[in-house]
Amino acid sequence: MEQTAETDGFILFPAATGGGALVRRSQIAGARANGRDGAILYAMCGPSIYTTATIPQLAQFLDAETTNIHRD
C-alpha cells in the first residue's frame, strides 16, 4: 500500500510511565505481544517501543486485523 500524507500520519501509543510514543505509521515494522503488560512495537529506524496497548488495541490504532496462528 502506498503511503500518502493522509494515511501516513503519526499515532500516539500509550506507555506505562505516562505519556507515550509518537510514531509515524510508515515507520512501524511489526509488533508482538509482551505478556499481559501490552506489546512491543518494532520501528524501522529506531529502538523498540514498549507500549501498554494490547495487540487488538494496536490493530485498532492501525486500522488492521489480527489473526491467531496455532502451531501443532
Side-chain angles (χ1 to χ4, degrees), residues 13 23-32 40-47 49 62:
F13 294 99
V23 181
R24 185 178 290 275
R25 180 183 298 270
S26 64
Q27 292 301 306
I28 299 170
R32 71 170 178 87
I40 301 172
L41 286 171
Y42 297 103
M44 283 192 237
C45 63
I49 301 160
L62 298 169

Side-chain angles (χ1 to χ4, degrees), residues 4-24:
T4 65
E6 294 168 355
T7 62
D8 192 29
F10 286 91
I11 301 170
L12 179 62
F13 294 99
T17 58
L22 191 61
V23 181
R24 185 178 290 275

Side-chain angles (χ1 to χ4, degrees), residues 40-72:
I40 301 172
L41 286 171
Y42 297 103
M44 283 192 237
C45 63
S48 299
I49 301 160
Y50 291 78
T51 177
T52 56
T54 63
I55 293 296
Q57 289 170 328
L58 292 179
Q60 276 188 312
F61 290 140
L62 298 169
D63 294 324
E65 294 182 23
T66 60
T67 185
N68 291 322
I69 299 174
H70 297 282
R71 296 183 182 169
D72 294 327

